[in-house]
Amino acid sequence: NAGVTQTPKFQVLKTGQSMTLQCAQDMNHEYMSWYRQDPGMGLRLIHYSVGAGITDQGEVPNGYNVSRSTTEDFPLRLLSAAPSQTSVYFCATNRGGLSNGYTFGSGTRLTVV
Amino acid sequence: AQKITQTQPGMFVQEKEAVTLDCTYDTSDPSYGLFWYKQPSSGEMIFLIYQGSYDQQNATEGRYSLNFQKARKSANLVISASQLGDSAMYFCAMREGGITGTASKLTFGTGTRLQVTL
């Protein structure tokens, strides 16, 4: 049982390049979300989804795009990478219900040069 | 306004002592949940404990307990009998009940770095 799988674990991009961070889950959770973690700022929500075909913006959505075509996958696209997007990115899933905890992936460390 | 405030950037505690990590929150939603996560140096996010706004008793999970003071909007994490392996970053987070979608969002504080010493 893999839980939440994020790929890649590390990535270096040049400014202006695009890429997709992958997130896959095998827990059949409806809710999926992407967070970025920057020093001194905790985790901030980028985009989230409450089910296949439904996505919405979080606190810091600019420069990122998402789609949710299946329950299992929730990729995060960087359209034109900027140094300000250097961060650690976490994907998280939840099956809904206020008391249910979130399961996090192991993170992707992205550096934009 | 910050929804989750953790005022202690860093804390030190001696092994076997208890330590309290502070967390205050701000919401007008009567239905919400509070979470604590541990992030060791390896980077993963580990769920520790949950407290619901309607829970009558403070949550406990092994050596972790949550001192929930609803009127003061505080949800402090207490770690008893600290161990060297407790050295990590600790995050308080809140999920508001509200409408669908809102309930899928987890809002984090900035974290407290705990160092356990011999």
Side-chain angles (χ1 to χ4, degrees):
Chain A
N1 189 355
V4 181
T5 303
Q6 284 185 242
T7 55
K9 292 193 183 305
F10 301 93
Q11 183 70 49
V12 179
L13 284 179
K14 292 183 179 178
T15 298
Q17 285 185 318
S18 62
M19 81 158 293
T20 300
L21 279 62
Q22 301 290 346
C23 177
Q25 55 116 346
D26 62 2
M27 297 178 292
N28 202 32
H29 285 176
E30 287 299 316
Y31 292 177
M32 297 186 75
S33 42
W34 277 101
Y35 292 84
R36 60 178 287 173
Q37 183 179 20
D38 301 298
M41 300 188 74
L43 279 75
R44 293 180 294 168
L45 182 64
I46 305 171
H47 284 286
Y48 65 98
S49 170
V50 299
I54 306 169
T55 64
D56 206 344
Q57 297 180 353
E59 181 185 354
V60 287
N62 292 340
Y64 306 96
N65 204 358
V66 293
S67 60
R68 182 102 180 267
S69 56
T70 67
T71 299
E72 293 78 20
D73 299 298
F74 191 43
L76 178 72
R77 296 181 194 82
L78 279 70
L79 308 172
S80 176
S84 60
Q85 293 179 303
T86 294
S87 188
V88 179
Y89 291 85
F90 286 97
C91 178
T93 75
N94 180 275
R95 68 167 184 252
L98 194 61
S99 63
N100 292 317
Y102 286 68
T103 302
F104 283 81
S106 57
T108 295
R109 184 174 294 275
L110 176 68
T111 302
V112 182
V113 297
Chain B
Q2 290 283 346
K3 287 202 167 186
I4 296 285
T5 302
Q6 294 181 255
T7 58
Q8 307 153 312
M11 291 278 287
F12 285 90
V13 65
Q14 277 196 315
E15 198 181 19
K16 300 189 179 103
E17 298 292 312
V19 63
T20 298
L21 307 184
D22 295 341
C23 173
T24 58
Y25 60 92
D26 183 28
T27 180
S28 57
D29 194 326
S31 178
Y32 54 88
L34 297 156
F35 300 79
W36 277 91
Y37 282 85
K38 172 184 179 181
Q39 187 178 45
S41 58
S42 53
E44 71 265 35
M45 296 291 289
I46 302 168
F47 167 72
L48 295 178
I49 197 166
Y50 166 82
Q51 180 83 44
S53 59
Y54 295 119
D55 293 344
Q56 295 297 311
Q57 295 187 338
N58 288 344
T60 60
E61 290 285 349
R63 293 186 300 109
Y64 304 108
S65 61
L66 203 151
N67 184 359
F68 182 46
Q69 298 188 44
K70 195 170 181 177
R72 295 181 60 187
K73 293 189 175 179
S74 74
N76 299 339
L77 177 70
V78 180
I79 306 175
S80 63
S82 297
Q83 302 171 355
L84 294 177
D86 293 334
S87 293
M89 195 75 165
Y90 289 81
F91 290 99
C92 179
M94 177 174 66
R95 184 184 191 188
E96 292 164 291
I99 58 175
T100 300
T102 302
S104 69
K105 300 179 185 178
L106 204 55
T107 302
F108 285 83
T110 53
T112 296
R113 184 168 299 280
L114 177 67
Q115 184 68 44
V116 181
T117 61
L118 291 170

